[in-house]
Amino acid sequence: MLAYITRRLVGAALVMLAVAILVFFMIRLVPGDPIAVMLADSGSPEAREALIRRLGLDQPVIMQFWKWFTGVLHGDLGASLYGSNQPVAHILMNALPKTMSLAMLSFFVAVVIAVPAGIIAATHKNTAADAGVSLFAFLGLSMPDFWLAILLIIIFAANLQWLPAIGYTPISEGFWEWLQHLILPAIAIGTGFSAIIARMIRSSMLEVLQADYMRTAASKGLTQRVMLLRHALPNAMIPVITVVGIAFALLISGAVVVENVFSIKGLGRVLIQGIQNRDYPVVQGAVLLVSSFFVLSNLIVDLLYAVIDPRIRYS
Amino acid sequence: MSDATLDPATTAEPIVPKRKSRFRKVFSKDRKAQFGLLVLSLFVLGAILAPLIAPYDPNEMSLNMMAAPSGENMLGTDDLGRDLFSRILWGTQISLFVGVATVGLALFFGVLLGLLAGYYGGWIDMIIMRYIDLQWAFPNFIIAVYLVAVFGTGLLNVIVAIALAFLDDFARVARSMVLTLKEEQYIDAARVQGFSDMRIMLRHILPNAMAPIIVLATVSVSYAILGEATLSFLGLGVSTDTPTWGLILADGRSFISRAWWLGVFPGLAIMLVVLSINFIGDALRDALDVRETDF
């Protein structure tokens, strides 16, 4: 087991290094000139020189990379090229709690929809209920999350005026306030994701229900409820763990878009604004952060799987 | 597959007619697939005929601003008085084109990489797989956003960006199919006959590996369409004067409290097309007997 963990950790570290190299060098290919954009009117040659020197763009690219990379290892991601030139790490740390709140609430919404839906579909196979869940899953997968976000705003914010259409309040200012701002975005992101989980739970439940131990449980005279919740569901959830890795990618991609609809200044909004402003350091930092979370979540999934299924450790 | 026929009469028949009849069987029973085929054909037809049947020029402004759906403007007008139906109809061209072109590109290069990696193994496999593993480290959508950010917006860039993001899926599926098929006796037979590697890959392995690739390609078209709409919505899409579905939604977003149709119809078009393709993909999966775990 230890050997397996070491191997996976080294692998993940190498992937992260490669990601850092890729993120750094690819952005050097950007066609636009950020110096020209930044100086807008006051583009005197002296000002240009000074700025290039301040950003270290006069040094060889390898030196720039080394400086950037050692900085990254110390948590220094450079400074934004815009506004008050805030440190990128600072901007990302401000954005992170919002995106995390949103991702967790979306995950919660997805599970709350998916678990009952998946169980009902499996226990009522080939009935109207099963067909309904299947249709819901298809709709959830086919609906763009930003469109669902717009529909929710039209219904709950513009017409019924029950919930705010934009903004974010931290949970420290009250759970209810926090929830009011985040519930619509969370539904917009969580619905598509719930479709994926519901399908997985259905098919893995169907397999589990055929298992010998379910027959044993039935012959012991256990109630349907106990059989389903205590015996079938925990076993059916094992393959669902694999979606945790996919989950992260989906939740983050969802957040990137949906934050922009609801004007929540999370990672997604920071990333898109960074792109619009050609703010290299911010875009680099955001992509690096998202990718490292992704690598980390894949690593955790692999390790969890190795704990559950010992065969994986030796392959 | 519970409905797979096992009587000797059908199993003894050659593979191709059996597949055909199987297609017919699955599609004649599957209501969702029929719905998908119907709706998708309507959209394809609409895209082709857009220049002839669109009631207005999609970019023509008028003083009839933010008019609700009526006999004059079937789906209403936007804040600049442009006819929403005409804009959505023209947008169909972009969406379908991006969907098909993207998947065509990802399919060609992905399958090529997968074939090479699986067939030759060794260092070729190692290099290709390391690259694919690296791509795994980024969520697909982030790859596309980053590529568009680096190389700029525009039709070609969007297509390449989304295609690159999908490349690894095709390479992975093709490689795993090759690894299984390589051990088959008919491949040995072909090799003994002295056929070239190229011929064995293209004529003997590829046709037998097509089933999961076809299903993946179908489903990927729907994801590509969603991806393009999302990029356009974020202002990272095709261009600002081409009416694409994502862009129409982005333009209308500020007005949805007064003009709900601007928020509803473009998204409905996206959903109907994507849903239809997913329905068809699901039926294809049944007809070609591809397990979901093949991906």
Side-chain angles (χ1 to χ4, degrees):
Chain A
M1 187 66 188
L2 200 66
Y4 177 78
I5 294 179
T6 322
R7 209 167 50 202
R8 289 297 291 117
L9 278 177
V10 171
L14 285 177
V15 168
M16 274 320 298
L17 178 66
V19 167
I21 294 174
L22 212 63
V23 166
F24 179 86
F25 284 99
M26 235 168 66
I27 211 143
R28 307 285 125 172
L29 303 171
V30 176
D33 177 4
I35 307 292
V37 176
M38 283 169 68
L39 291 174
D41 311 320
S42 58
S44 73
E46 293 80 32
R48 198 183 152 81
E49 281 295 306
L51 192 62
I52 287 178
R53 206 165 312 122
R54 184 161 71 77
L55 296 174
L57 294 179
D58 53 343
Q59 290 166 2
V61 142
I62 296 295
M63 288 303 293
Q64 289 181 37
F65 175 73
W66 180 246
K67 211 174 147 218
W68 177 75
F69 187 67
T70 46
V72 168
L73 292 181
H74 291 98
D76 173 13
L77 293 164
S80 164
L81 303 180
Y82 278 78
S84 49
N85 302 104
Q86 278 189 35
V88 173
H90 187 74
I91 297 177
L92 295 180
M93 281 307 133
N94 271 337
L96 193 59
K98 296 168 191 157
T99 304
M100 281 294 162
S101 290
L102 182 54
M104 278 190 289
L105 193 61
S106 308
F107 190 78
F108 178 76
V109 167
V111 170
V112 166
I113 301 174
V115 172
I119 295 178
I120 290 170
T123 50
H124 298 73
K125 196 187 168 197
N126 295 335
T127 64
D130 187 19
V133 169
S134 156
L135 187 64
F136 163 79
F138 269 113
L139 286 174
L141 286 175
S142 307
M143 205 185 278
D145 37 19
F146 60 91
W147 183 52
L148 183 56
I150 288 176
L151 291 185
L152 291 170
I153 291 179
I154 293 180
I155 299 170
F156 294 102
N159 283 311
L160 296 173
Q161 308 212 323
W162 287 353
L163 293 161
I166 54 164
Y168 171 84
T169 12
I171 197 163
S172 54
E173 283 174 34
F175 176 77
W176 183 234
E177 281 288 299
W178 172 82
L179 189 66
Q180 269 187 330
H181 281 97
L182 279 190
I183 189 69
L184 291 184
I187 294 173
I189 300 172
T191 305
F193 185 45
S194 75
I196 297 175
I197 312 182
R199 278 182 154 193
M200 287 205 69
I201 292 181
R202 177 184 181 271
S203 63
S204 102
M205 267 298 244
L206 282 177
E207 232 165 77
V208 169
L209 290 177
Q210 305 287 320
D212 287 343
Y213 58 80
M214 288 307 290
R215 205 175 44 219
T216 312
S219 58
K220 281 197 297 187
L222 295 182
T223 61
Q224 185 78 7
R225 202 186 138 81
V226 173
M227 274 172 61
L228 279 180
L229 296 182
R230 294 278 293 278
H231 295 255
L233 190 59
N235 287 301
M237 288 305 279
I238 293 175
V240 179
I241 292 177
T242 38
V243 299
V244 175
I246 309 165
F248 188 76
L250 280 176
L251 293 176
I252 285 290
S253 316
V256 168
V257 187
V258 171
E259 279 172 4
N260 282 284
V261 180
F262 288 92
S263 302
I264 297 169
K265 292 209 167 57
L267 284 180
R269 189 108 188 86
V270 166
L271 176 65
I272 299 300
Q273 274 179 342
I275 291 173
Q276 283 160 351
N277 295 337
R278 292 191 189 287
D279 197 344
Y280 288 179
V282 168
V283 175
Q284 268 178 355
V287 171
L288 201 62
L289 187 63
V290 169
S291 310
S292 40
F293 274 124
F294 193 52
V295 172
L296 197 68
S297 67
N298 277 330
L299 180 68
I300 293 171
V301 170
D302 279 357
L303 296 182
L304 271 180
Y305 236 61
V307 172
I308 294 167
D309 187 347
R311 282 170 300 182
I312 290 174
R313 286 173 228 163
Y314 303 106
S315 64
Chain B
M1 285 278 85
S2 54
D3 58 351
T5 41
L6 285 173
D7 62 295
T10 43
T11 43
E13 274 180 36
I15 289 172
V16 178
K18 188 182 142 209
R19 261 195 189 165
K20 251 189 200 156
S21 68
R22 195 155 175 188
F23 269 111
R24 210 169 294 140
K25 205 172 151 197
V26 169
F27 277 87
S28 67
K29 266 201 278 179
D30 191 334
R31 289 271 175 76
K32 288 191 281 221
Q34 291 164 4
F35 170 88
L37 283 174
L38 179 72
V39 172
L40 190 64
S41 326
L42 286 178
F43 272 97
V44 171
L45 215 61
I48 297 170
L49 298 178
L52 300 174
I53 58 174
Y56 298 88
D57 179 317
N59 289 319
E60 185 193 285
M61 299 179 218
S62 75
L63 290 175
N64 188 18
M65 286 170 283
M66 290 214 265
S70 66
E72 208 173 318
N73 300 96
M74 215 188 303
L75 302 180
T77 62
D78 69 3
D79 56 310
L80 299 173
R82 296 175 294 196
D83 179 54
L84 189 58
F85 176 69
S86 304
R87 288 177 71 71
I88 292 177
L89 198 59
W90 277 91
T92 313
Q93 288 190 337
I94 307 280
S95 282
L96 294 181
F97 177 72
V98 170
V100 173
T102 300
V103 172
L105 211 60
L107 181 98
F108 181 81
F109 288 103
V111 168
L112 185 69
L113 286 180
L115 272 179
L116 293 176
Y119 188 80
Y120 288 110
W123 62 271
I124 298 181
D125 187 31
M126 206 193 76
I127 292 175
I128 294 176
M129 284 317 286
R130 282 294 87 80
Y131 165 73
I132 286 168
D133 283 345
L134 182 61
Q135 206 176 322
W136 250 109
F138 297 90
N140 270 350
F141 182 64
I142 299 295
I143 299 180
V145 166
Y146 194 59
L147 286 170
V148 174
V150 170
F151 295 106
T153 55
L155 186 61
L156 187 65
N157 287 356
V158 167
I159 289 174
V160 173
I162 304 178
L164 253 174
F166 285 166
L167 191 71
D168 57 332
D169 299 336
F170 285 96
R172 209 182 295 275
V173 170
R175 178 177 176 270
S176 75
M177 286 306 290
V178 175
L179 288 181
T180 335
L181 292 172
K182 214 164 62 164
E183 310 301 326
E184 297 282 339
Q185 275 187 345
Y186 62 83
I187 301 299
D188 288 338
R191 217 173 271 146
V192 170
Q193 286 185 58
F195 289 150
S196 68
D197 287 349
M198 194 62 143
R199 188 183 161 129
I200 295 176
M201 274 191 272
L202 296 182
R203 295 279 295 274
H204 300 265
I205 294 183
L206 195 56
N208 290 297
M210 279 321 278
I213 295 174
I214 290 172
V215 175
L216 178 65
T218 313
V219 181
S220 298
V221 172
S222 72
Y223 286 125
I225 291 175
L226 272 180
E228 184 274 327
T230 309
L231 288 176
S232 289
F233 182 75
L234 291 172
L236 302 172
V238 174
S239 89
T240 41
D241 20 289
T242 328
T244 70
W245 293 340
L247 191 72
I248 301 173
L249 267 176
D251 282 348
R253 193 175 68 189
S254 334
F255 311 103
I256 50 173
S257 54
R258 280 176 291 159
W260 56 267
W261 52 92
L262 294 177
V264 172
F265 294 124
L268 195 63
I270 302 174
M271 196 193 76
L272 281 174
V273 167
V274 173
L275 186 66
S276 302
I277 298 172
N278 282 339
F279 280 160
I280 296 169
D282 204 51
L284 277 178
R285 183 172 290 153
D286 282 350
L288 296 170
D289 200 7
V290 176
R291 284 165 302 130
E292 209 146 338
T293 47
D294 281 346
F295 301 144

